[in-house]
Amino acid sequence: MNVLVTGGAGFIGSHIVDALVERNHTVTVIDSLDPAAHDGPPEWMNPNATWRLGPASGEARSADVAEEATWDGALEGIDAVCHQAAKVGLGVDLTDAPAYAINNDLGTARMLAAMSASGWGGRIVLASSMVVYGEGRYACPDHGIVAPLPRRSDDLDADRWEPRCPTCRRELTTGLVPEDAAIDPRNVYAATKAHQEHLCGAASAELGTVTTALRYHNVYGPRMPRDTPYAGVASIFRSQLANGRPPQVFEDGGQRRDFVHVSDVAAANIAALERPVPYAGALNVASGHPFTLLDMARTMAAEDGRGLEPAVVGGYRIGDVRHVTADANLARSVLGFEAQVQPSDGLAAFVHEPLRRPPAR
């Protein structure tokens, strides 16, 4: 296939580009090289892909998916679009909201408008996220599966971390969240990822396209950004260890997440792109082996080998949720996808893997 990868210079996108090239697909990349994430063109650009990059590369043409000019002729000869371009992470505060809406929502809307204008009708694989769920799946001993109440600041300030039943306010037990769970985005980034799914779904009938939305759980691995507010917790712990500091773990460290290696995420994208009949809908992309954040920090600190025991520092971030762990069965049955890297092995290796250099300040 001829595949267009937006955001293909980034952490996940670059691994997808490598995997596509390895499987003899023809790959074109559009990436704006957002200075919040990149300090110029990365060293891992695959020479067998065609690259269209932003001003940091010296190119005059636009490579920002949120700009109409970027899409002029971009879809000619393209069979599938792997839409990875996005602003990620929780950001700093609500002053980041316009940038998230522009990069994620407007960027996707521009893409869909260009598809409509050109009569394009291929397949779309969309990078979505587990953040659309808000909290994960919970059950109350008395009321069964329930949507938990939003965590309250007075509870969090008193170190009462676990979500509570909306009926009886008892603490809930956590389980695996399936794709048919109601979505409940609880921060700006999450809201924009949900909107990307909705935009693609709303446009599919008019365009004659099929969108497979891959809801990535906590992705880690080489080429992650380091030392930015937009980096994931794995990168933050990795950077702290690299600087000779013990990992700083918020709350009590009992937060549960599913950490999935970037090579497995790339494999899920390949499976979605190559499926004979495109799958319309959302799929969890996860390892299927949940970890607590404290266990994750301990695994990484032990591999570091300098005796830097993780420090549970309490505190919390507004917009964080307590537990989100995935039911990975649907991706297995639909795509034949099953993660190959066990988190215990992958996180240990990650301690020694290169991260993306921080952008210039």
Side-chain angles (χ1 to χ4, degrees), residues 75-102:
L75 296 167
E76 292 178 8
I78 296 297
D79 301 308
V81 175
C82 191
H83 187 36
Q84 306 294 311
K87 191 172 187 68
V88 301
L90 288 183
V92 178
D93 52 42
L94 273 177
T95 61
D96 274 340
Y100 279 104
I102 290 168

Side-chain angles (χ1 to χ4, degrees), residues 73-316:
L75 296 167
E76 292 178 8
I78 296 297
D79 301 308
V81 175
C82 191
H83 187 36
Q84 306 294 311
K87 191 172 187 68
V88 301
L90 288 183
V92 178
D93 52 42
L94 273 177
T95 61
D96 274 340
Y100 279 104
I102 290 168
N103 283 272
N104 300 354
D105 295 341
L106 180 58
T108 301
R110 291 285 193 207
M111 176 185 76
L112 295 170
M115 290 173 176
S116 179
S118 64
W120 189 84
R123 68 171 72 185
I124 302 169
V125 175
L126 172 67
S128 188
S129 172
M130 56 84 176
V131 296
V132 301
Y133 295 119
E135 291 285 355
R137 172 60 60 91
Y138 290 90
C140 171
D142 294 330
H143 299 100
I145 292 174
V146 296
L149 291 169
R151 295 198 294 169
R152 304 190 321 193
S153 58
D154 57 339
D155 282 333
L156 299 175
D157 289 338
D159 297 346
R160 295 189 292 267
W161 307 117
E162 296 300 331
R164 296 177 177 274
C165 176
T167 302
C168 65
R169 287 200 53 81
R170 291 182 65 178
E171 284 191 6
L172 302 172
T173 57
T174 185
L176 303 180
V177 61
E179 290 84 352
D180 61 1
I183 66 171
D184 182 21
R186 297 194 175 190
N187 57 61
V188 170
Y189 170 60
T192 62
K193 297 311 286 184
H195 196 210
Q196 284 184 298
E197 288 192 23
H198 290 158
L199 284 168
C200 289
S204 62
E206 177 187 335
L207 297 175
T209 60
V210 174
T211 298
T212 306
L214 301 180
R215 290 176 177 168
Y216 305 156
H217 284 249
N218 290 74
V219 188
Y220 68 96
R223 307 177 189 169
M224 279 192 89
R226 73 167 84 219
D227 298 331
T228 81
Y230 310 99
V233 66
S235 173
I236 292 170
F237 288 170
R238 166 75 169 74
S239 296
Q240 288 169 341
L241 288 167
N243 292 329
R245 299 172 54 213
Q248 306 290 293
V249 185
F250 285 172
E251 301 187 15
D252 62 353
Q255 309 94 304
R256 288 169 61 80
R257 298 289 189 271
D258 189 307
F259 294 95
V260 58
H261 195 269
V262 66
S263 64
D264 285 322
V265 174
N269 277 269
I270 297 297
L273 288 162
E274 293 183 345
R275 190 176 190 269
V277 178
Y279 174 77
L283 297 169
N284 287 327
V285 176
S287 71
H289 298 279
F291 257 44
T292 68
L293 295 195
L294 182 55
D295 284 343
M296 172 198 185
R298 285 170 172 161
T299 296
M300 295 176 68
E303 178 64 24
D304 177 80
R306 288 181 289 173
L308 299 171
E309 279 295 312
V312 177
V313 297
Y316 58 91

